[in-house]
Amino acid sequence: MRSVIFRAAAPLIVGIMVLFSIFVLLRGHNEPGGGFIGGLIAVAALAIYGIAFGVETVRRAIVFHPLTIAGAGLLLATLSGLLSMIFHVPFMTGLWIYPVVLGEEVPLSSVMTFDIGVYLVVVGAVTSIALSLEERGED
């Protein structure tokens, strides 16, 4: 699509969508949302960017190959589950730590790292599919 208005608005739309996808990811283990839906929102943002500027621009923007991102996410999600076994509790049991950062207690959990892994798997796998489809559409 070569619309000047769409190309001018796309970076703003993409920025807002990526920010919203991260918001949905981070609130997902306490409220509706999480890695899967957050990842789909991020992929939609990348698809819009690809429609506006082309597939090669998206490939340069994401730096890594999409399947590498999916593989890293799968590794992170698996390690999050295996971490519980190190502490002699069942696989995928949520573990929490509460480090103090700048005087504030920050709760961190293996549930969040699992969600981040799912987010990366979805972003990598679906982006790979979307870019492949967009490349075929440019011919």
Side-chain angles (χ1 to χ4, degrees), residues 30-138:
N30 291 326
E31 296 177 25
F36 186 78
I37 191 65
L40 289 178
I41 294 168
V43 170
L46 291 174
I48 288 172
Y49 199 72
I51 292 168
F53 296 103
V55 172
E56 285 307 313
T57 307
V58 174
R59 289 195 186 279
R60 283 193 308 271
I62 60 175
V63 181
F64 297 105
H65 191 279
L67 294 180
T68 303
I69 296 170
L74 186 59
L75 178 66
L76 180 61
T78 303
L79 291 175
S80 297
L82 292 175
L83 184 64
S84 61
M85 296 178 73
I86 293 171
F87 292 98
H88 305 290
V89 293
F91 181 70
M92 296 296 287
T93 299
L95 302 171
W96 294 81
I97 60 171
Y98 299 91
V100 177
V101 178
L102 300 173
E104 291 291 322
E105 191 176 75
V106 179
L108 299 175
S109 71
S110 62
V111 177
M112 178 56 69
T113 58
F114 177 79
D115 264 351
I116 292 170
V118 170
Y119 180 89
L120 292 174
V121 167
V122 171
V123 167
V126 180
T127 296
S128 179
I129 294 167
L131 291 178
S132 177
L133 291 173
E134 284 184 27
E135 283 174 341
R136 294 189 197 288
E138 289 180 354

Side-chain angles (χ1 to χ4, degrees), residues 7-29:
R7 290 181 74 154
L12 177 65
I13 293 168
V14 169
I16 291 169
M17 287 179 73
V18 169
L19 190 62
F20 182 65
S21 80
I22 293 170
F23 168 75
V24 170
L25 164 68
L26 293 177
R27 77 179 204 138
H29 65 281

